[in-house]
Amino acid sequence: MPDINIDSTYGVIIIQNLKAIYVDENYAKLYGYDSPDDLLNSIDSFLDLITPEFHELAMQNYLDIIAGKITPRGHTFHNIDRYGKEFTVFSIDHLIEYAGELALQVTVIDLSIVVEANKQIREKDLMFKRLIMNSGQGIMVHRNFKPLMLNQAWANEMRASSLQQAMETESILQFIPVEKHAEVKEHYVKTINGEVTSKSNIVENICFDGSKRFFNIYDNLIEWEGEPAVQVVLEDVTDKVEYERALAYRASHDQLTDLYNRSSIYDWLGTHYNTSTDITCMLIDIDDFKKVNDTYGHQMGDQVIKTLAGIIKKIVQKFNGVVGRWGGEEFIAFIPNISNPKTAEMAESIRVAFNRVKYQQDTVSFNASVSIGISSTCEDEADLSIDDLIKSADKYLYFAKANGKDCVVKCGNAVSSV
């Protein structure tokens, strides 16, 4: 609250037998009169200077002081000037003797400037409170994760049934995934200590109804009732996050097979492969696929491609590998840290499972086959770069095709065939 400089007018009045018998110049002007005589000649009782609701209190106070029943003290009164305008004064009572009789001397200080200042402060407080409470953004103030204030928008965003339910929350940590608690607590301490710069973050929260939503959150250090607290501004961005994720997924996956595309395969390798990782590469190609398209149509050809994609993905993911559509009817898979026997077993499982699928078109049924080439950075294929590894697998795929198709070839040798 800003400092208020009080430059108020004060004046003196002496009351005897409920009548004003003396006022000074300041007192007269304070009440809108030109002079002390003007004031004294214009009123019958000092009560004429006080609003009616305080008449009984003021008279009883006068009588009690004169009778010695109470010790003179200060009071705040709403008074009336000669034009009917109300203003507030602080009066200090003194019991004195005047002309041989007891009298009450009252010194009054005009508090109008203070009252007006307080009124303006209250109006601003109400204005900001209305601004916050009616804001479309969720706003909350908390200290050590206990809500001190929040608005209806925050309760709505967090799917609370009511503002009261939201305010009764013991700790907002319940809305944050457990694995994030340590990080959030550390951030809170740094915020309270002024060690971090306020910035927005997109986080996933658990709402009152149990649903998980994404929020853009901006938090900053504020003072609340004389102590530091954290203000949080929250905005639901779930639709935006999901849309961006959908776009990213679409950009990284093949539309027909729902597998990684070529560029995403390289991204995966950049994250999961280094020179200390043994990795196996498989190139898988549908045999005589042009004939399938020419004989049964492209729609059936797409079905054959999708079937193979599903088989490869199911088998390779069991070994923490990754599968992508390399182009057309050709697929590529990378499997880290797998033994040669397991690699051969996996490739053979893919070949056999795909060969067993029957495709039906009208009265005609058929099946299809694949050829697979395998290369590895371990054993005799050590120290190969990724590009060399792919070229090596492509070479063994060529050998598989030349070997009669429907087979698996590794290091130039057929490990399975029809």
Side-chain angles (χ1 to χ4, degrees):
M1 178 176 171
D3 293 335
I4 300 173
N5 295 318
I6 302 176
D7 184 17
S8 300
T9 302
Y10 68 91
V12 176
I13 182 173
I14 297 177
I15 304 165
Q16 198 172 61
N17 298 320
L18 298 178
K19 290 184 176 293
I21 59 174
Y22 169 84
V23 296
D24 67 7
E25 191 79 24
N26 286 339
Y27 192 96
K29 290 182 178 178
L30 186 62
Y31 285 82
Y33 294 90
D34 295 332
S35 66
D37 288 341
D38 187 19
L39 184 150
L40 293 173
N41 293 329
S42 300
I43 64 172
D44 294 321
S45 164
F46 82 97
L47 296 177
D48 294 339
L49 302 171
I50 301 173
T51 53
E53 62 184 293
F54 290 103
H55 281 189
E56 185 176 345
L57 178 63
M59 186 168 64
Q60 189 60 52
N61 179 68
Y62 169 81
L63 294 174
D64 288 344
I65 292 176
I66 294 296
K69 293 182 180 180
I70 62 173
T71 302
R73 60 187 184 274
H75 303 271
T76 300
F77 287 109
H78 293 289
N79 287 6
I80 309 172
D81 70 9
R82 72 182 307 175
Y83 303 108
K85 178 183 176 183
E86 291 189 14
F87 62 100
T88 303
V89 297
F90 179 72
S91 68
I92 305 170
D93 301 333
H94 303 277
L95 183 61
I96 66 170
E97 185 177 308
Y98 188 86
E101 293 185 29
L102 292 178
L104 184 64
Q105 177 183 300
V106 181
T107 302
V108 297
I109 302 172
D110 183 8
L111 295 182
S112 298
I113 187 171
V114 178
V115 171
E116 182 61 28
N118 287 333
K119 179 182 177 183
Q120 291 178 9
I121 290 171
R122 287 195 298 271
E123 287 176 349
K124 286 183 178 179
D125 286 345
L126 287 173
M127 179 182 69
F128 285 119
K129 184 177 181 181
R130 286 193 294 268
L131 182 66
I132 290 172
M133 298 308 290
N134 297 329
S135 172
Q137 289 182 308
I139 300 174
M140 177 191 62
V141 176
H142 74 90
R143 185 178 294 122
N144 199 27
F145 305 105
K146 171 65 179 175
L148 303 174
M149 184 283 299
L150 54 85
N151 65 359
Q152 186 65 52
W154 193 93
N156 293 343
E157 296 274 27
M158 290 297 295
R159 305 296 196 268
S161 60
S162 66
L163 192 62
Q164 181 180 354
Q165 182 193 21
M167 274 301 299
E168 290 174 352
T169 302
E170 287 300 318
S171 173
I172 60 172
L173 283 174
Q174 72 183 69
F175 306 120
I176 301 169
V178 175
E179 62 273 16
K180 293 286 186 180
H181 281 193
E183 178 185 341
V184 169
K185 289 178 180 178
E186 181 182 359
H187 177 74
Y188 171 80
V189 171
K190 289 182 176 180
T191 301
I192 285 292
N193 293 333
E195 298 174 9
V196 293
T197 303
S198 300
K199 63 178 182 179
S200 62
N201 293 289
I202 292 180
V203 301
E204 184 180 31
N205 278 0
I206 305 164
C207 298
F208 281 90
D209 62 0
S211 63
K212 293 182 178 180
R213 308 284 296 178
F214 290 93
F215 298 93
N216 185 34
I217 287 181
Y218 178 88
D219 59 357
N220 62 293
L221 177 64
I222 65 168
E223 182 179 297
W224 186 266
E225 296 180 344
E227 294 184 30
V230 174
Q231 174 184 271
V232 180
V233 180
L234 169 148
E235 180 186 9
D236 191 329
V237 292
T238 304
D239 292 343
K240 178 183 177 182
V241 170
E242 291 179 347
Y243 177 70
E244 289 175 349
R245 282 184 172 182
L247 287 179
Y249 188 90
R250 199 178 307 168
S252 61
H253 286 72
D254 173 63
Q255 187 174 357
L256 177 64
T257 62
D258 204 32
L259 298 178
Y260 278 135
N261 56 31
R262 184 178 290 219
S263 63
S264 295
I265 285 291
Y266 277 109
D267 290 341
W268 184 92
L269 289 167
T271 303
H272 293 81
Y273 173 73
N274 56 58
T275 54
S276 63
T277 304
D278 290 328
I279 195 160
T280 296
C281 174
M282 289 196 304
L283 273 174
I284 306 149
D285 187 77
I286 301 174
D287 297 326
D288 302 316
F289 184 71
K290 184 176 184 302
K291 184 177 179 181
V292 173
N293 271 340
D294 291 346
T295 304
Y296 303 104
H298 288 278
Q299 188 172 355
M300 180 60 72
D302 286 348
Q303 184 179 337
V304 172
I305 287 175
K306 289 169 68 175
T307 299
L308 177 57
I311 292 171
I312 300 171
K313 183 177 182 179
K314 182 178 180 180
I315 293 174
V316 169
Q317 284 187 342
K318 292 179 181 179
F319 297 89
N320 299 316
V322 66
V323 184
R325 188 178 183 186
W326 202 237
E329 70 274 17
E330 191 173 27
F331 298 84
I332 196 167
F334 288 94
I335 308 96
N337 301 317
I338 187 171
S339 65
N340 278 329
K342 280 290 183 184
T343 301
E345 180 184 328
M346 181 191 305
E348 182 64 6
S349 296
I350 293 171
R351 186 192 71 80
V352 171
F354 182 65
N355 189 251
R356 286 176 178 169
V357 178
K358 289 286 186 182
Y359 302 95
Q360 189 75 33
Q361 188 178 68
D362 299 329
T363 59
V364 178
S365 64
F366 69 96
N367 55 10
S369 64
V370 294
S371 297
I372 303 175
I374 304 174
S375 62
S376 176
T377 59
C378 62
E379 297 182 357
D380 57 330
E381 298 286 345
D383 299 325
L384 289 180
S385 69
I386 287 298
D387 286 338
D388 289 338
L389 193 66
I390 295 171
K391 288 178 182 177
S392 182
D394 192 45
K395 178 179 68 175
Y396 298 139
L397 175 61
Y398 173 81
F399 290 160
K401 294 288 188 182
N403 196 47
K405 305 174 184 176
D406 193 18
C407 66
V408 179
V409 174
K410 182 182 186 304
C411 301
N413 300 313
V415 296
S416 66
S417 61
V418 290

